[in-house]
Amino acid sequence: MMKNAFECLLRKRNSKGILPSSSSSSVRCIAQKKNLCSSSTTQTQTAAARTVPRERVECVVIGAGVVGLAVARELALRGREVLVLDSAPTFGTATSSRNSEVIHAGIYYPPNSLKAILCVRGREMLYKYCSVHNIPHKQIGKLIVATGASEIPKLDDLMNRGIQNGVDGLRKIEASEAKRMEPELQCVKALLSPASGIVDTHSLMLSLVGEAESHRTTFSYNTTVIGAHLEGNRIYVHVSETKHLENWNVRNLLHPELVLIPELVVNSTGLSATALANRFDGLHSGVVPSGYYARGCYFTLSNTRFRPFNHLIYPIPEDGGLGVHVTLDLDGQVRFGPDVEWIEGIDDISSFLNRFDYSVCVNRSKRFYPEIRKYYPNLKDGSLEPGYAGIRPKLSGPRQSPVDFLIQGEDAHGVPGLVNLFGIESPGLTSSLAIAEHIASRYLK
């Protein structure tokens, strides 16, 4: 896959009258060298990188999740040659395909934070994009509910924060009005957010891929970035085919098969963003934040003839997430989740190759029933079936305050042409187009 991608990249250059920066024998060399690992375990990855083929490219985006795809599309629309690398066989296999598929309004985030600014801007951009490109979506609205008197002040805080963030149409409603809107709902007060909605994430990503490809973007799947190093003021990106990592022995050093020399590289690897940045030789370790993983399970509603809700229903946020909430997909299926389970002990290669445990234990539903019944008391025993699980890349751990998106460029780490995206969890999907706009506007030269 990597060989084919680079041959395609060279053909695109030649069709535009652009000479390749190194001979095409570099590409042939990739196919010929099935194992470039040195027998000497004392040789560093950076030293090994000096002995393998090199190729200059204009822009590299590492990670083909929804944010990486949006970034690639935006760079391509601005006339840049873009190469997207992902360790998986296709796009969007991790967090982008394992979430609630909600278009957030921008309520939860501190005023003037990146999450607040990019969520509100991204929501506007996303609704417009979906309308123009016929992406299935629906602005169904959300009710954030207080199920006890002690939660009402928190509801007030959320409303005030949303107004400060520029979210239009927010309205606090009494229990009676909420009950008329959603007869199955139990609450003492609720906050109505008409701007919230849902989107078919796969269709969105497919559209972004198609648009990027039509503007000189090349995709190389089954291709893993295993690190990078600095030479002068340039970053050199170390690349390997994914299959060569699958049986890697952790006692041996990783060796690249190809080194890319980009003018701009965007680390949009989501779950492995911090692990990858720590493998950038020459990048000061103090600028890479600690990363945490929060696993969340979803259960689907079964054994019911009618859908109990027509709006998204959210409780007051909890530690590590927004609480076990009701989401609806565009086919009308009702899902509950996610919960929060902090996980540890993930090594770099497991994060690079998305080797997380995504199974959903049936017994976990026992924790869901009492949480859901706080606002949906008529939930019947046995009506929850395991759905799916997702992992959130977080910059704050258990019992720590939520942390903002971290979009880190040269001004933060001193490396020209490197942009790291850390902690792009919710509302990453909603913010994706705005994140791409932000990066292109700020870091393209």
Side-chain angles (χ1 to χ4, degrees):
M1 187 68 185
M2 188 164 73
K3 173 179 177 291
N4 293 339
F6 281 91
E7 288 177 342
C8 178
L9 182 67
L10 292 175
R11 285 197 301 272
K12 288 179 180 179
R13 285 178 175 175
N14 291 330
S15 69
K16 296 285 184 180
I18 304 171
L19 292 175
S21 56
S22 63
S23 71
S24 60
S25 62
S26 299
V27 179
R28 290 194 295 272
C29 187
I30 297 168
Q32 294 165 358
K33 296 188 178 182
K34 293 184 178 180
N35 188 352
L36 297 176
C37 291
S38 168
S39 59
S40 173
T41 57
T42 60
Q43 185 180 22
T44 67
Q45 182 175 308
T46 297
R50 302 181 192 278
T51 67
V52 301
R54 296 184 173 197
E55 189 69 42
R56 290 186 182 274
V57 292
E58 200 166 9
C59 298
V60 170
V61 176
I62 314 169
V66 66
V67 173
L69 297 177
V71 171
R73 165 190 172 269
E74 185 67 28
L75 296 175
L77 289 176
R78 298 190 185 210
R80 298 309 199 271
E81 171 196 70
V82 183
L83 175 63
V84 180
L85 308 175
D86 198 285
S87 62
T90 188
F91 60 85
T93 59
T95 307
S96 296
S97 59
R98 295 176 172 275
N99 59 79
S100 300
E101 296 190 298
V102 168
I103 300 176
H104 288 286
I107 298 169
Y108 299 100
Y109 322 109
N112 300 314
S113 65
L114 282 177
K115 285 185 176 180
I117 294 167
L118 296 175
C119 182
V120 172
R121 171 64 177 157
R123 166 173 51 82
E124 296 169 352
M125 296 176 73
L126 186 54
Y127 275 131
K128 182 177 180 180
Y129 185 90
C130 290
S131 297
V132 170
H133 295 272
N134 297 313
I135 308 301
H137 71 290
K138 193 172 183 180
Q139 189 172 333
I140 60 175
K142 174 196 292 186
L143 288 169
I144 304 173
V145 298
T147 56
S150 63
E151 294 182 334
I152 293 176
K154 296 178 182 178
L155 206 63
D156 294 335
D157 290 342
L158 287 175
M159 181 170 179
N160 292 333
R161 180 174 289 185
I163 291 171
Q164 285 182 274
N165 290 344
V167 180
D168 296 327
L170 292 178
R171 187 165 61 90
K172 193 163 71 172
I173 62 176
E174 298 296 328
S176 56
E177 184 176 356
K179 189 80 170 177
R180 286 195 297 272
M181 295 174 64
E182 295 288 4
E184 292 291 331
L185 181 64
Q186 175 177 284
C187 66
V188 294
K189 284 187 186 294
L191 178 61
L192 174 62
S193 169
S196 304
I198 53 177
V199 63
D200 181 339
T201 308
H202 182 77
S203 295
L204 171 63
M205 291 191 289
L206 193 62
S207 177
L208 294 172
V209 169
E211 201 173 359
E213 284 184 325
S214 68
H215 289 82
R216 294 177 58 215
T217 296
T218 301
F219 286 83
S220 183
Y221 300 116
N222 295 309
T223 305
T224 303
V225 175
I226 59 174
H229 74 276
L230 303 181
E231 289 186 23
N233 64 345
R234 298 294 296 271
I235 187 164
Y236 289 62
V237 178
H238 305 174
V239 181
S240 176
E241 289 191 78
T242 298
K243 64 183 179 182
H244 295 150
L245 301 180
E246 290 174 348
N247 297 313
W248 176 66
N249 185 327
V250 295
R251 292 188 298 273
N252 296 328
L253 294 172
L254 289 173
H255 297 278
E257 298 169 75
L258 179 70
V259 170
L260 298 175
I261 311 171
E263 295 176 15
L264 175 69
V265 58
V266 181
N267 173 11
S268 183
T269 51
L271 294 171
S272 60
T274 55
L276 179 58
N278 279 319
R279 286 180 172 268
F280 290 170
D281 186 13
L283 181 66
H284 193 283
S285 61
V287 303
V288 182
S290 298
Y292 303 86
Y293 298 112
R295 185 174 181 272
C297 294
Y298 292 82
F299 283 81
T300 60
L301 184 64
S302 64
N303 301 326
T304 181
R305 294 177 55 192
F306 302 103
R307 187 172 70 185
F309 300 108
N310 293 306
H311 296 77
L312 302 167
I313 309 295
Y314 277 58
I316 298 296
E318 63 177 8
D319 177 37
L322 299 181
V324 175
H325 50 260
V326 178
T327 61
L328 314 171
D329 66 21
L330 290 157
D331 295 323
Q333 185 181 58
V334 178
R335 298 181 297 228
F336 297 95
D339 58 353
V340 178
E341 176 188 4
W342 297 98
I343 57 177
E344 299 177 343
I346 305 299
D347 62 84
D348 288 359
I349 298 302
S350 294
S351 69
F352 291 169
L353 303 183
N354 194 26
R355 288 176 174 168
F356 293 90
D357 180 8
Y358 289 112
S359 62
V360 179
C361 178
V362 175
N363 291 336
R364 202 165 184 84
S365 66
K366 294 177 182 177
R367 305 182 183 183
F368 275 63
Y369 282 101
E371 294 301 313
I372 297 168
R373 283 175 175 149
K374 291 177 182 177
Y375 56 82
Y376 178 28
N378 291 331
L379 178 67
K380 297 179 180 178
D381 287 337
S383 59
L384 295 181
E385 292 185 351
Y388 58 93
I391 313 289
R392 283 156 281 182
K394 302 183 75 68
L395 299 181
S396 56
R399 295 173 297 281
Q400 296 178 2
S401 299
V403 175
D404 199 8
F405 291 156
L406 181 54
I407 301 178
Q408 191 184 76
E410 181 182 357
D411 53 336
H413 51 57
V415 180
L418 171 63
V419 180
N420 285 315
L421 305 184
F422 296 131
I424 310 298
E425 51 164 336
S426 181
L429 168 60
T430 306
S431 306
S432 56
L433 296 176
I435 292 173
E437 179 184 62
H438 175 84
I439 290 171
S441 299
R442 185 166 182 175
Y443 298 110
L444 270 186
K445 295 180 180 179

